[in-house]
Amino acid sequence: MTSALIVIDLQNDFCPGGALAVPEGDQIVPGINALMPEFRAVILTQDWHPSGHSSFASSHPGKSAYEMTEMPYGPQVLWPDHCVQGSHGAAFHQDLNTARADLILRKGYNSAIDSYSAFFENDRATPTGLHGYLQTRGITDLTMVGLATDFCVNYSALDAARLGYRVTVRRDLARGIDLGGSLAEAEAGMTAAGVTLL
């Protein structure tokens, strides 16, 4: 068994009622829990922002949530404040089986740079350490589920494919934000990169 399940950002702020809610984000929890026993390794990622993070619209006077801005590392969507370290919003959904996790990987804790991918911050260069962990364990195949399909799942899947993993995204166990067609664009990009979409 050389496969791992990567559960991406299944946190309260990304579920209905949260600060950056993904429609139906909570509905995938039972299916993800049921899938966990099929994998040698289960890894949970957790968005973990300090207050005043540079990706928050509130950190940019005159800007609104979901506007674009330019950061030193490139274009950045400005988000509502979300997944602030230690907050209820940053906690995993209460029904998620966190006890099954081999590793919980926190990302986005650098206040100057956002981090969608489980592998790299948004400068596309600063590693999170996940690649080294997976290599050490001899894992070659990744199945990705979670939130949101068109952002953190998408970036993680593209990076994983670029690093040489065989990657599957379970669309039935992921949900998207879909900002201006971003979901269809993300799915097309993943397919072009060799990611299997189920």
Side-chain angles (χ1 to χ4, degrees):
M1 292 280 288
T2 57
S3 61
L5 179 66
I6 312 291
V7 182
I8 296 174
D9 297 1
L10 204 49
Q11 296 164 260
N12 291 324
D13 268 345
F14 296 131
C15 291
L20 185 45
V22 180
E24 301 180 351
D26 55 342
Q27 295 183 12
I28 60 178
V29 175
I32 290 172
N33 287 340
L35 192 62
M36 288 181 181
E38 298 180 20
F39 290 86
R40 171 186 171 194
V42 174
I43 293 144
L44 310 181
T45 72
Q46 189 175 22
D47 230 19
W48 198 246
H49 296 308
S51 298
H53 192 271
S54 62
S55 70
F56 295 168
S58 62
S59 298
H60 301 264
K63 292 281 192 179
S64 300
Y66 308 109
E67 283 188 44
M68 295 295 297
T69 193
E70 196 68 25
M71 297 290 201
Y73 51 85
Q76 170 71 48
V77 179
L78 295 177
W79 303 108
D81 290 26
H82 66 281
C83 296
V84 173
Q85 296 171 357
S87 68
H88 172 75
F92 290 114
H93 188 282
Q94 63 179 7
D95 295 333
L96 182 67
N97 180 12
T98 57
R100 178 60 184 82
D102 298 62
L103 175 71
I104 294 174
L105 181 86
R106 288 174 166 169
K107 60 188 181 64
Y109 49 78
N110 181 340
S111 62
I113 185 168
D114 209 359
S115 189
Y116 296 158
S117 171
F119 290 92
F120 295 97
E121 294 184 347
N122 282 8
D123 60 1
R124 324 300 298 138
T126 304
T128 63
L130 180 57
H131 180 44
Y133 175 83
L134 296 173
Q135 285 188 306
T136 300
R137 293 198 58 181
I139 291 167
T140 57
D141 295 65
L142 303 177
T143 295
M144 297 191 176
V145 298
L147 306 171
T149 311
D150 38 348
F151 286 91
C152 296
V153 175
N154 174 42
Y155 275 63
S156 299
L158 293 176
D159 280 343
R162 182 166 59 88
L163 290 167
Y165 295 96
R166 285 186 288 274
V167 186
T168 300
V169 170
R170 288 280 302 264
R171 285 183 288 186
D172 59 326
L173 297 177
R175 293 291 185 271
I177 298 173
D178 203 15
L179 292 178
S182 59
L183 184 56
E185 183 180 345
E187 290 186 347
M190 286 189 281
T191 299
V195 174
T196 300
L197 301 180
L198 294 182

